[in-house]
């Protein structure tokens, strides 16, 4: 047990993954509460979509300050504060009584989770080398893992204790995980007393060598983050996340529309995220092995759009076909997530990485507002989700085409000199 806890893949990546899972559950658990919220509060689908989308505006408010704080102060401390805050706010959703209260609640929840993704990527960047980083960023699989197990568990919880208490039940684990996070994580391997001396020496030497190849900061850090690559990837993220979160939040309702009970809808809507986990492991391993990032981003994005478009044309005729298309679409989008954040972080000097990722994440997560709102409005106008999914598929394809203008950093090519051999990662199932 002691040797396992001294393995950085288990200790750093594993603990970060669990924390990110809790964050995403507390963000997305409202999806299975939609039918109850609509019935009890008397809200239309468009009103619910708007309220849920306010999360994205709250998320945007503190992106750059929090992103900068992770690089200039402490990613460990920043994440601890955020984790405690979002747990409490998420639990308070059980108290909402009106549409206005729901809007305020989702906005404040967005503020409390703002910066969590850039902070986690900063931690991964500090602990893992360039050749390991796509696999290290599999910590971001917390999103599909959370949506897979969260939809099922939250659907079950709603059927047992109701939608209000469901928010309280799901907030407790993330609050307790704050203690584990503080115990397990250090901002830098140089400060880790639990890491054996030989591994630490090799890891630090490799990270120092990579740092010398990174872009050099010139002028104030605020200027360096307005890099063309960062701006293009931020717009790319906005297009893709509009499609993703639009369908994610409405997927249980879509399945309920097909005649399934909310409990069964929660389990069925978990299938696309199970596919996402497998796809992300495959694409991340391929990207690290080939040391290629750009095409590992573009091709999955375009294919994700193609499958969502097919779901829009034919999916609602049969639930099986719908789930197959959505599963492939979600899987391909989540599959390239680790590659995406490597490209954003590597575009700027290390000291600006947190802020640069905050820009890409903040702009992208406006899709968390536009997507649910757009899907809700289109559903209200058309009576179904076909048109919404076709629009979402088009957004994915546009994002993939936009990524053609991104140039990968030369240091990411396959010709990069191999790093010294370090402690190998444990099997993905153990690390995650």
């Amino acid at each position: 047990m002691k040797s396992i806890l001294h393995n950085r893949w288990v200790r750093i990546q594993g603990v970060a993954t669990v924390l990110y899972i809790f964050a995403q559950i507390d963000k997305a658990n409202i999806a299975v509460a939609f039918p109850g919220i609509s019935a009890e509060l008397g809200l239309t689908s468009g009103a619910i979509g708007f309220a849920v989308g306010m999360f994205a505006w709250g998320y945007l408010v503190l992106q750059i300050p929090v992103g900068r704080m992770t690089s200039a102060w402490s990613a460990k401390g920043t994440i601890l504060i955020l984790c405690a805050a979002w747990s409490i706010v998420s639990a308070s959703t059980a108290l909402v009584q009106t549409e206005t209260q729901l809007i305020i609640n989702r906005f404040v929840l967005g503020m409390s989770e703002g910066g969590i993704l850039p902070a986690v990527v900063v931690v991964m960047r500090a602990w893992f080398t360039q050749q390991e980083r796509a696999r290290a960023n599999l910590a971001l699989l917390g999103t599909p893992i959370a949506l897979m197990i969260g939809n099922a568990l939250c659907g079950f919880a709603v059927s047992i204790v109701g939608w209000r208490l469901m928010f309280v039940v799901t907030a407790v684990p993330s609050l307790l995980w704050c203690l584990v996070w503080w115990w397990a994580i250090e901002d830098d391997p140089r400060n880790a007393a639990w890491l054996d001396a030989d591994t630490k020496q090799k890891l630090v030497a490799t990270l120092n060598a990579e740092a010398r190849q990174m872009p050099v900061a010139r002028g104030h850090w605020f200027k360096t983050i307005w890099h063309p690559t960062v701006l293009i990837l931020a717009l790319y993220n906005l297009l893709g996340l509009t499609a993703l979160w639009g369908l994610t939040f409405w997927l249980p309702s879509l399945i309920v529309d097909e005649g399934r009970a909310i409990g069964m809808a929660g389990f069925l809507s978990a299938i696309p995220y199970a596919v996402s986990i497998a796809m992300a492991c495959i694409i991340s391993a391929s990207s690290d092995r080939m040391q290629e990032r750009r095409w590992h981003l573009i091709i999955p994005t375009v294919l994700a759009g193609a499958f969502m478009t097919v779901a829009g044309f034919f999916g609602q005729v049969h639930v099986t076909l719908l789930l197959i298309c959505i599963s492939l679409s979600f899987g391909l989008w989540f599959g390239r997530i680790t590659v995406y954040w490597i490209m954003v972080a590597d575009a700027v000097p290390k000291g600006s990485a947190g802020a640069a990722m905050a820009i890409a994440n903040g702009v992208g997560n406006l899709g968390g507002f536009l997507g649910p709102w757009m899907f809700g409005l289109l559903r209200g106008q058309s009576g179904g989700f076909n048109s919404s999914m076709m629009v979402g598929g088009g957004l994915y394809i546009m994002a993939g085409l936009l990524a053609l203008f991104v140039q990968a950093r030369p240091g990411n090519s396959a010709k990069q000199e191999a790093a010294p051999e370090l402690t190998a990662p444990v099997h993905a199932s153990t690390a995650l």
Side-chain angles (χ1 to χ4, degrees), residues 287-302:
S287 179
D288 271 350
R289 183 176 63 253
M290 299 175 64
Q291 284 297 289
E292 196 286 323
R293 310 301 187 196
R294 185 167 173 263
W295 289 107
H296 281 81
L297 180 78
I298 295 171
I299 294 175
T301 304
V302 173

Side-chain angles (χ1 to χ4, degrees), residues 137-277:
N137 281 352
L138 284 173
L140 301 182
L141 279 182
T143 299
I145 293 173
L147 294 171
M148 178 184 69
I149 64 176
N151 280 345
L153 293 177
C154 293
F156 178 74
V158 168
S159 66
I160 299 298
V161 300
W163 67 269
R164 291 186 181 275
L165 285 180
M166 179 271 295
F167 287 105
V168 177
V169 170
T170 55
V172 172
S174 56
L175 192 60
L176 295 177
W177 200 252
C178 290
L179 301 176
V180 179
W181 175 265
W182 189 253
W183 165 78
I185 303 298
E186 295 292 344
D187 283 312
D188 193 287
R190 298 167 183 83
N191 303 327
W194 52 266
L195 192 64
D196 72 85
D198 184 56
T199 300
K200 181 186 293 189
Q201 181 180 13
K202 291 180 179 179
L203 177 60
V204 170
T206 303
L207 292 172
N208 287 340
E210 291 178 352
R212 290 190 289 269
Q213 299 177 6
M214 291 298 295
V216 178
R218 293 183 174 86
H220 194 273
W221 66 268
F222 192 77
K223 295 181 180 179
T224 66
I225 62 178
W226 300 105
H227 190 284
T229 296
V230 175
L231 298 179
I232 292 173
L233 290 175
L235 180 55
Y236 161 96
N237 207 26
L238 172 61
L239 294 172
L241 289 182
T242 298
L244 174 72
W245 288 116
L247 188 54
T248 293
F249 279 111
W250 287 103
L251 183 56
S253 296
L254 188 158
I255 296 175
V256 168
D257 286 352
E258 296 298 316
R260 268 60 177 181
I262 184 61
M264 178 58 68
F267 282 101
L268 290 177
S269 62
I271 295 174
Y273 307 110
V275 175
S276 299
I277 295 167

Side-chain angles (χ1 to χ4, degrees), residues 289-363:
R289 183 176 63 253
M290 299 175 64
Q291 284 297 289
E292 196 286 323
R293 310 301 187 196
R294 185 167 173 263
W295 289 107
H296 281 81
L297 180 78
I298 295 171
I299 294 175
T301 304
V302 173
L303 290 177
F307 281 112
M308 186 175 283
T309 302
V310 171
F313 274 113
F314 306 109
Q316 286 196 269
V317 175
H318 199 284
V319 174
T320 301
L321 178 60
L322 175 72
L323 286 175
I324 290 173
C325 291
I326 291 177
S327 295
L328 290 172
S329 179
F330 279 23
L332 287 160
W333 173 258
F334 279 114
R336 43 89 267 167
I337 190 172
T338 64
V339 176
Y340 173 80
W341 289 111
I342 290 172
M343 294 180 69
V344 175
D346 285 353
V348 297
K350 182 178 179 181
S352 303
M357 288 184 289
I359 289 177
N361 192 40
V363 172

Side-chain angles (χ1 to χ4, degrees), residues 67-93:
R68 176 56 181 167
M69 190 163 63
T70 62
S71 295
W73 174 54
S74 167
K76 173 184 175 178
T78 300
I79 291 175
L80 179 71
I81 294 170
L82 295 175
C83 184
W86 86 60
S87 302
I88 295 170
V89 176
S90 181
S92 73
T93 311

